[in-house]
Each structure stands twice: as structure tokens, then as C-alpha cells.
Amino acid sequence: MTPRGQMEQEDVLRVKLEVLRREHRDLDQAIHALEETGRSDPLRLRRLKKQKLLLKDQIARIEDQLTPDIIA
């Protein structure tokens, strides 16, 4: 892959990473809001938390792709 193509791919990953981080943050806020009401559906909360964990895994994978390998 050319350096330009690699740079474009990194730019795409960075944008995707920011979108996933925003979704993760929004889910976190929604979960906290539901928990504070005390009337939330436990199944819905579990699903939201699972979705949040999946986003966290996707974020970690992209961060690993963006982090250069360091040969020690």
C-alpha cells in the first residue's frame, strides 16, 4: 500500500474511532440516566451495557491498528 493510501486508511480509522467513542459516551450517559430513575427495565439495561462493551472492544481494536508496532 502506498504511503498516501495508508494515510487515507488511518484517517478513516480515526474518524470511525471518534464516532465509536461518541456512541460509547452516549450509551454511558443513557445507562446512568436509566439507573438514576430507578424504574428502568433490567433487560434493557443489560442490553445497553452489552452494546457498550462491544463498542469498547471495537474502540480497542481500532486503537491497536493505529498504534505503530515498536520493535524492542
Side-chain angles (χ1 to χ4, degrees):
M1 186 175 285
T2 65
R4 182 177 180 205
Q6 184 177 3
M7 187 59 110
E8 290 173 359
Q9 183 182 8
E10 285 182 14
D11 291 339
V12 169
L13 286 175
R14 290 183 197 284
V15 169
K16 186 171 182 172
L17 181 62
E18 195 53 43
V19 169
L20 291 174
R21 284 180 176 159
R22 190 174 308 125
E23 287 179 27
H24 186 269
R25 192 170 38 249
D26 291 346
L27 270 176
D28 191 45
Q29 291 173 351
I31 290 168
H32 284 294
L34 285 172
E35 288 175 335
E36 286 180 4
T37 63
R39 302 175 290 165
S40 60
D41 177 19
L43 180 60
R44 183 175 182 200
L45 269 177
R46 259 186 280 147
R47 287 181 178 160
L48 290 175
K49 288 179 180 182
K50 184 175 182 178
Q51 186 178 357
K52 185 179 160 191
L53 284 173
L54 291 173
L55 285 173
K56 185 177 179 181
D57 289 342
Q58 289 177 331
I59 290 168
R61 274 192 299 263
I62 292 175
E63 288 173 339
D64 285 345
Q65 288 178 321
L66 291 172
T67 305
D69 293 335
I70 299 174
I71 300 173

